[in-house]
Amino acid sequence: SAVISQKPSRDICQRGTSLTIQCQVDSQVTMMFWYRQQPGQSLTLIATANQGSEATYESGFVIDKFPISRPNLTFSTLTVSNMSPEDSSIYLCSVEDRTVGYTFGSGTRLTVV
Amino acid sequence: TQLLEQSPQFLSIQEGENLTVYCNSSSVFSSLQWYRQEPGEGPVLLVTVVTGGEVKKLKRLTFQFGDARKDSSLHITAAQPGDTGLYLCAGGHDYKLSFGAGTTVTVRA
């Protein structure tokens, strides 16, 4: 199955700043997915990132707040912009592996103070 | 709006006991997956079920997919402390996953 490296694993950020999260996959994948997991809650899909096109955002998420890059078939970044304490969450990237289903990175635990 | 309803939300049992977690939806899914997530980690896939009525066994874990592909259950036999974690069901539709709210399982030694 695909192996995903996500970094940073955690960060504490000041409100009003931005953080870029990186996701590296050890194989080429068509789609990469970004999720948010708020404290004590389940996963919510933020957007789907395809190489060579703009990301597709789910309801409640906008590009200005969560810009995504997908420069090639093995890498993607998610930026959390102009952060507030409400953005404190775990952010996870995921890819679809045809053999085993969806694989997730270990997540980025973000705390905004 | 949560498309998948999981129950119970919390479950605390003694080592050796059995437990069942349920996942229900009004929507039909092309596939349904179960994950376990431990603190500080991403979800780890346990099983994918795709056929209505399908039953899959993974050692002490038994997964069942409803005939109408709208519901599923996870049964753990003789639970061990290592089974402790957040169990999530997720329904697949149009290459995207929708997650249930999760069941936090604690197995006491």
Side-chain angles (χ1 to χ4, degrees), chain B residues 3-99:
Chain B
L3 292 179
L4 287 160
E5 299 289 337
Q6 268 186 256
S7 61
Q9 186 177 358
F10 298 97
L11 197 54
S12 180
I13 61 171
Q14 200 71 32
E15 181 176 6
E17 294 181 340
N18 302 331
L19 69 95
T20 302
V21 178
Y22 299 93
C23 179
N24 296 293
S25 174
S26 58
S27 302
V28 175
F29 292 99
S30 57
S31 67
L32 198 139
Q33 305 188 344
W34 284 94
Y35 294 83
R36 183 172 68 213
Q37 185 180 22
E38 299 185 26
E41 300 292 331
V44 175
L45 180 67
L46 297 174
V47 78
T48 299
V49 287
V50 297
T51 305
E54 183 176 4
V55 177
K56 280 191 174 179
K57 292 191 175 184
L58 185 67
K59 296 183 180 178
R60 293 178 295 100
L61 278 62
T62 301
F63 304 86
Q64 190 161 7
F65 200 15
D67 291 340
R69 291 187 289 136
K70 294 182 178 181
D71 56 274
S72 181
S73 64
L74 157 62
H75 182 79
I76 301 179
T77 303
Q80 300 174 1
D83 296 324
T84 293
L86 176 66
Y87 288 81
L88 296 157
C89 66
H93 183 69
D94 284 342
Y95 69 80
K96 293 191 285 189
L97 285 182
S98 298
F99 280 85

Side-chain angles (χ1 to χ4, degrees), chain A residues 17-22 34 46 57 62-69 76-83 91 110:
Chain A
T17 64
S18 298
L19 175 71
T20 295
I21 301 167
Q22 299 180 5
W34 287 98
I46 297 171
Y57 288 82
V62 295
I63 188 171
D64 289 346
K65 177 66 176 178
F66 298 101
I68 288 171
S69 79
S76 179
T77 67
L78 169 76
T79 299
V80 186
S81 303
N82 188 23
M83 288 183 286
Y91 292 86
L110 170 63

Side-chain angles (χ1 to χ4, degrees), chain A residues 22-42:
Chain A
Q22 299 180 5
C23 184
Q24 179 76 52
V25 189
D26 69 345
S27 58
Q28 294 184 340
V29 293
T30 304
M31 290 186 287
M32 295 178 75
F33 305 92
W34 287 98
Y35 288 85
R36 181 175 71 184
Q37 187 175 27
Q38 294 178 300
Q41 297 190 26
S42 188

